[in-house]
Amino acid sequence: MTAEPVAAIVSLARGIAAESRYFPGALLSAFLLVPGVSAAADTSQGAQIAATCASCHDPTGRGQGIPPLTTLDEQTIVKRMRAFRASESPSHVMHAVALSLGDDELAAVARYLADSAYAGRQP
Amino acid sequence: MTGWTRRQIGGLAAGALVATAAPHIAHGRGRPRVVVVGGGIGGATVARYLADLETIDVTLIEPNPTHVTCFFSNLYLAGLRSLDSLTFDLRSLAERHRITFIRMRAVAIDPTARSVVLQDGARLGFDRLVVAPGIAFKLGEIGGYDEAAAEIMPHAWVAGPQSELLRRQLESMEDGGVFVIAAPANPFRCPPAPYERASLVAYYLKQFKPRSKVLILDAKDRFSGQELFQDAWSRHYPGMIEWLPVQFIGKTRAVDAATRSVVTEGETFKAAVANVIPPQKAGSIAERTGLTDATGWCPVDPLTFESTLQRGIHVVGDAIIGGDMPKSAFSANSQAKACCFAVAAALTGSPRFPPHLFNSCYTFLAPDDAFTNAITFAPKDGKIKTVKMFISKVGESAKVRRRLAHQAVGWYSAFTADVFGGVS
């Protein structure tokens, strides 16, 4: 396979990924078409914030001690982050992170993380 | 130079590894080019994140094929980790993430011509340059402490052979000896690390050389996490660690390698093992390129990490100054991500959002006792300012601390996968 068709399909997948909250089924299909090819990272607000998550949470979900994010849906992420925001316990690290995110930022990163996990993509 | 060709790459480099597949190079013509100088935490992170965008050609210049992390190297010193487990292959990073890796030293930067000069004389053009040079030592500030003295009284502040040397000295030290740590004034790489080192060396000594002591000769009167460390020292290593602040002994002004002595303004201390951590400044290429100010560090725009002294050149990691972020691997990683998205915005028009600058460090007091801090930062008035800071507390249960020590190991694995793009 030459680079150009792969790039084209990846580009297509990225375009769909940007709209994935509207067409989650289409996103999955796009990835199934190209086994073994992961999409490029993107520069959406959710992706930029999620880069911070990846400093501690192993995107493959293999890590020990620090819970993976790959199994969480959007609503669960928002709910847990609001709980972290409200209290220094059980984790002052997550309390600090949660306090640093506005509601719109939290929504963006939760959507991005949930979509990434759904697509089997590394955040 | 306007673009990479295979011939130019081949001409550059006997010894340079070009990890990128050839189709990518051809495909990359016309794409913006970013060169990253330095394959430590900041440099590797920015190279990996930029390359993953697949809109920019990224070249990483670093003479070492591997990187050994300074963080967790105190565990190696105490016999709790192998150095192999702290070593990451930059060639694998380059292969997995389509980064062109040139295994060579960058000897000069020409900001006007926008090119980097490599050790073989070749020039490499860039649209944006990211410099992540880490630290250099101000060797002149401690009389007699030069590179030869560092082979007798190791700093072990850059992980690798220096760490192995200090470990060998600790192992061969006789019971009843004094392990001296000379700690520098702020700012320096990893503020809690001299005290974590004291803790873990004491852990080793308590098992194998219980009549020995650790003596810290500090150029400060206070240090990072002080209450947590002093509480832990009294619980885990009573009577084994002595800390002498600068107000009692004065600064370390000289060493005598022949007698393994550290000379402060007030006294001379003879050591069985002397770990001399010199004052620090930005890595030398930053100084040579006019990226440093009178402090010896690199001032940057806190939104983009672009140098305020040389436009088009960004600096991340321990080499920067100008705010509250500590010189830590986590800070370097966080800055590198902010820098990556700013560079991408400048070169490709991708969207910009306010950066989330963050630092969280795990610090070991004993193998099953660790603490954490968490600090958020925001750009304000051209500086990086602390917004919120949280830290573990004295008196937390052993169960809480055990959990943090366990998390620390998981954090190391996730963090290094984030930086180096996978397992070592």
Side-chain angles (χ1 to χ4, degrees):
Chain A
M1 189 180 276
T2 61
E4 286 72 15
V6 172
I9 294 168
V10 168
S11 173
L12 169 69
R14 290 179 62 206
I16 295 168
E19 298 301 322
S20 61
R21 63 192 141 130
Y22 308 113
F23 305 109
L27 175 67
L28 182 61
S29 304
F31 280 90
L32 289 175
L33 280 172
V34 199
V37 176
S38 63
D42 68 58
T43 52
S44 67
Q45 186 178 27
Q48 293 196 21
I49 298 169
T52 296
C53 308
S55 299
C56 298
H57 295 272
D58 191 321
T60 63
R62 288 175 310 196
Q64 69 167 67
I66 297 175
L69 303 176
T70 45
T71 56
L72 303 179
D73 63 37
E74 191 176 329
Q75 287 73 28
T76 306
I77 294 170
V78 171
K79 195 173 140 198
R80 291 200 187 163
M81 289 299 281
R82 288 202 172 129
F84 282 127
R85 195 191 278 170
S87 170
E88 198 173 332
S89 176
S91 166
H92 59 251
V93 177
M94 286 312 302
H95 183 55
V97 174
L99 282 174
S100 76
L101 295 175
D103 284 340
D104 56 333
E105 292 175 317
L106 177 52
V109 72
R111 188 184 308 129
Y112 178 84
L113 287 170
D115 288 351
S116 299
Y118 186 66
R121 184 175 57 172
Q122 293 195 356
Chain B
M1 184 187 279
T2 55
W4 275 104
T5 66
R6 258 178 278 183
R7 205 164 70 83
Q8 279 168 315
I9 289 171
L12 270 178
L17 171 75
V18 179
T20 315
H24 171 70
I25 296 168
H27 186 67
R29 269 176 167 271
R31 297 206 309 192
R33 298 158 308 158
V34 173
V35 172
V36 180
V37 173
I41 301 303
T45 303
V46 83
R48 182 250 157 118
Y49 271 77
L50 272 173
D52 282 358
L53 297 177
E54 296 187 2
T55 52
I56 293 169
D57 283 348
V58 181
T59 301
L60 176 63
I61 302 173
E62 164 64 52
N64 298 307
T66 57
H67 179 82
V68 186
T69 66
C70 285
F71 51 102
F72 273 45
S73 67
N74 286 329
L75 292 170
Y76 162 74
L77 199 55
L80 297 164
R81 294 273 300 220
S82 70
L83 211 57
D84 269 358
S85 76
L86 310 180
T87 303
F88 295 85
D89 192 334
L90 295 171
R91 293 162 298 195
S92 304
L93 165 73
E95 279 163 21
R96 273 196 294 262
H97 294 273
R98 298 184 185 179
I99 297 162
T100 304
F101 179 38
I102 297 182
R103 216 189 121 188
M104 235 189 263
R105 189 173 299 282
V107 293
I109 294 162
D110 183 339
T112 312
R114 300 211 161 190
S115 65
V116 178
V117 183
L118 302 175
Q119 69 192 59
D120 67 354
R123 282 178 172 261
L124 187 57
F126 57 81
D127 295 304
R128 291 267 167 163
L129 178 68
V130 181
V131 183
I135 56 163
F137 298 112
K138 293 178 171 175
L139 289 179
E141 294 207 359
I142 298 177
Y145 196 78
D146 53 16
E147 284 178 16
E151 294 301 310
I152 298 164
M153 307 167 89
H155 50 76
W157 222 242
V158 174
Q162 277 276 309
S163 317
E164 293 177 299
L165 178 59
L166 191 57
R167 168 71 187 171
R168 282 198 301 275
Q169 291 188 356
L170 178 61
E171 283 180 304
S172 59
M173 179 178 141
E174 285 188 15
D175 193 8
V178 179
F179 186 104
V180 171
I181 299 173
N186 295 324
F188 64 98
R189 167 178 280 176
C190 198
Y195 316 96
E196 182 192 63
R197 179 169 289 177
S199 308
L200 293 176
V201 166
Y203 167 77
Y204 168 88
L205 294 174
K206 190 176 174 182
Q207 297 172 83
F208 301 109
K209 290 152 192 180
R211 294 188 296 113
S212 308
K213 285 190 188 318
V214 179
L215 177 63
I216 306 167
L217 307 176
D218 211 329
K220 304 178 286 303
D221 283 327
R222 289 198 55 74
F223 60 88
S224 176
Q226 186 165 345
E227 291 75 18
L228 289 155
F229 279 111
Q230 289 179 327
D231 165 68
W233 294 345
S234 65
R235 285 188 290 113
H236 295 302
Y237 322 110
M240 289 187 73
I241 300 176
E242 187 176 5
W243 173 68
L244 294 177
V246 69
Q247 62 180 318
F248 295 164
I249 52 165
K251 281 192 178 178
T252 295
R253 63 177 178 79
V255 296
D256 180 4
T259 58
R260 229 178 227 137
S261 298
V262 178
V263 184
T264 70
E265 284 158 7
E267 287 178 63
T268 296
F269 298 87
K270 189 164 173 6
V273 175
N275 171 212
V276 177
I277 307 164
Q280 295 155 30
K281 59 183 179 179
S284 60
I285 196 163
E287 198 171 9
R288 291 201 305 276
T289 310
L291 294 165
T292 55
D293 65 13
T295 65
W297 304 99
C298 304
V300 293
D301 178 326
L303 283 165
T304 61
F305 292 86
E306 186 173 5
S307 167
T308 57
L309 302 176
Q310 300 283 1
R311 289 294 165 192
I313 302 179
H314 299 248
V315 189
V316 295
D318 290 346
I320 72 154
I321 194 79
D324 297 336
M325 277 187 109
K327 298 186 183 305
S328 71
F330 203 115
S331 291
N333 174 262
S334 180
Q335 293 161 8
K337 290 168 182 173
C339 176
C340 160
F341 293 121
V343 166
L347 293 178
T348 69
S350 60
R352 286 186 60 173
F353 299 98
H356 282 266
L357 299 172
F358 188 58
N359 181 71
S360 178
C361 292
Y362 288 88
T363 304
F364 282 90
L365 300 161
D368 59 353
D369 185 349
F371 72 89
T372 56
N373 67 0
I375 317 172
T376 56
F377 305 90
K380 193 182 175 195
D381 305 328
K383 304 275 185 196
I384 302 169
K385 293 290 182 194
T386 297
V387 178
K388 299 269 185 195
M389 178 163 80
F390 302 93
I391 187 165
S392 299
K393 295 174 180 65
V394 169
E396 285 171 338
S397 70
K399 188 178 164 192
V400 165
R401 295 295 184 78
R402 256 199 314 278
R403 194 176 69 220
L404 289 176
H406 180 68
Q407 275 181 4
V409 177
W411 168 80
Y412 184 88
S413 160
F415 183 78
T416 51
D418 183 46
V419 174
F420 298 107
V423 293
S424 63

